[in-house]
Amino acid sequence: MRAVIVDCAIYRGGRRTEGPDDLSDALEEARASGDAFLWIGLHEPTEKEFDLVSSEFGLHPLAVEDALRAHQRPKLEVYDDSLFVVLKPVVYEPESDTVTSEEVMVFIGDSFVVTVRHGEGTPLHSVRLRMEADPMVLRHGPTAVLYAVSDAIVDHYIDVANELQVDLEEMEADVFAPTGGELRNTAARIYTFKRQLLEFRRASGPLAAPMVRLASAGVPFVHEHAQPFFRDVSDHLTRANEQVDGLDRLLSDILSAHLAQMGVRQNDDMRKISAWAAMAAVPTMVAGIYGMNFEYMPELKQPWAYPAVILLMATAVYGLYRLFKRRGWL
């Protein structure tokens, strides 16, 4: 069990205090104090490992099932003895320019907070340390923890969106460069980028409704003065969603522009091919006429016939070349 418990402590008056090793005794001590709560952090627990926590804290079976299976949409569920929130942090890999999503589940109830994390890229240790450095915030209990975790995840959304903005600007410059799309499979890059945006939107989009709900009054286990803070998180989330929506629209425009460019290039290539074919057709036609081996052809007996025919073909080809060049076909 200790392998999955990342951290466990009792916070009294906003200050960390070490409690009993037994979860039941620690929770009882936190509830007896009145101004304390127990915060336990878990990382990818199995069903057997989570049974002790769920039984001690009285967590709802449906919420426990969601926390164990993961792969949930961001949501907010209210049960009799706890509040269950699913958050999906996103992780940006600059080496591969990919976005992946992970999951953080938060249970808050009477004098306790349980966080369950799935994935390696979004540790909550930094959130815990930042809160421990600010006891005035931490003294507000489990609601403060839920706010801090939500705020950290949503703020990271904005950071990832900014990284995607930089990547999109680089892609845009490549597409509209004189040789854009000729050396690389630009369409495949654009579709891959759209997949990254889709992964981001799956994490951030459904979270808007739970944040709006937390920012309103009447949510159980949420401190009555916490609404402005969750409203601030909701505003940041709206900003991140709007930024990603803008990136998605711009990416669609870039794809359309790229396909239009490819169509123009193909038309130019077809015109060039047609022009060269027309120039090659003239000497082919003349040579074909003189290759039919008729006996009675006046020019065959003249010494100037061969150079005259060559000159005629060269003049015709040069005339066609000048014509196509003037019209921009070559």
Side-chain angles (χ1 to χ4, degrees):
M1 186 61 191
R2 282 293 174 184
V4 299
I5 296 180
V6 179
D7 201 347
C8 179
I10 296 176
Y11 295 89
R12 184 177 290 104
R15 306 271 181 192
R16 180 185 179 113
T17 61
E18 299 301 328
D21 292 336
D22 185 77
L23 294 181
S24 180
D25 294 340
L27 181 59
E28 184 178 350
E29 179 179 329
R31 286 174 172 170
S33 299
D35 62 342
F37 69 94
L38 175 65
W39 181 1
I40 177 172
L42 306 176
H43 179 242
E44 297 183 353
T46 63
E47 182 176 357
K48 183 178 180 180
E49 292 168 335
F50 201 51
D51 280 343
L52 175 61
V53 177
S54 61
S55 60
E56 292 293 344
F57 292 91
L59 305 180
H60 196 279
L62 293 178
V64 171
E65 181 181 359
D66 291 342
L68 290 174
R69 291 186 177 180
H71 304 293
Q72 305 295 318
R73 297 177 73 251
K75 62 180 180 178
L76 168 65
E77 298 287 351
V78 178
Y79 299 101
D80 294 336
D81 298 323
S82 63
L83 184 71
F84 178 60
V85 181
V86 178
L87 305 166
K88 291 183 74 70
V90 293
V91 179
Y92 176 78
E93 296 293 342
E95 293 80 9
S96 57
D97 294 334
T98 57
V99 175
T100 57
S101 61
E102 300 179 348
E103 292 188 42
V104 172
M105 287 78 168
V106 183
F107 296 87
I108 66 173
D110 181 19
S111 302
F112 72 85
V113 179
V114 178
T115 55
V116 181
R117 180 168 59 89
H118 292 268
E120 300 291 341
T122 56
L124 298 179
H125 183 62
S126 59
V127 177
R128 188 186 288 258
L129 292 179
R130 187 169 65 251
M131 294 196 67
E132 290 177 354
D134 191 358
M136 294 302 294
V137 176
L138 197 55
R139 66 184 298 178
H140 290 92
T143 302
V145 177
L146 177 59
Y147 159 72
V149 173
S150 303
D151 185 59
I153 291 174
V154 171
D155 284 347
H156 192 60
Y157 284 167
I158 297 177
D159 295 337
V160 174
N162 291 334
E163 294 286 349
L164 293 175
Q165 177 75 41
V166 174
D167 291 345
L168 183 59
E169 290 173 356
E170 293 176 355
M171 181 180 297
E172 185 178 20
D174 290 342
V175 169
F176 291 103
T179 58
E182 294 183 358
L183 301 179
R184 292 182 291 269
N185 193 343
T186 304
R189 293 176 60 208
I190 294 175
Y191 277 113
T192 300
F193 200 97
K194 286 186 75 71
R195 294 286 301 178
Q196 309 307 318
L197 293 181
L198 178 61
E199 185 70 19
F200 190 110
R201 296 173 74 175
R202 285 175 177 171
S204 64
L207 186 58
M211 286 297 108
V212 170
R213 189 176 175 187
L214 287 171
S216 61
V219 180
F221 307 105
V222 176
H223 197 278
E224 59 182 357
H225 299 301
Q227 282 78 29
F229 297 95
F230 285 109
R231 191 157 50 243
D232 181 68
V233 176
S234 180
D235 291 341
H236 291 178
L237 179 61
T238 300
R239 172 186 166 189
N241 285 333
E242 289 177 349
Q243 186 173 358
V244 173
D245 289 343
L247 293 177
D248 187 63
R249 289 193 296 270
L250 182 58
L251 191 62
S252 297
D253 294 339
I254 292 175
L255 177 60
S256 299
H258 170 67
L259 295 178
Q261 283 183 327
M262 296 302 295
V264 170
R265 291 194 183 101
Q266 290 175 353
N267 289 337
D268 289 341
D269 293 341
M270 289 302 299
R271 286 190 299 181
K272 291 178 181 179
I273 293 172
S274 300
W276 286 110
M279 288 187 293
V282 172
T284 301
M285 179 188 67
V286 176
I289 292 175
Y290 280 90
M292 289 187 292
N293 297 322
F294 285 109
E295 181 179 356
Y296 300 102
M297 297 183 70
E299 297 87 353
L300 294 179
K301 302 300 182 179
Q302 303 296 331
W304 48 264
Y306 179 76
V309 171
I310 295 298
L311 179 61
L312 174 64
M313 291 190 292
T315 302
V317 171
Y318 179 73
L320 289 175
Y321 174 81
R322 294 286 295 176
L323 175 64
F324 293 140
K325 190 72 173 179
R326 186 166 56 250
R327 294 187 175 182
W329 285 36
L330 294 174

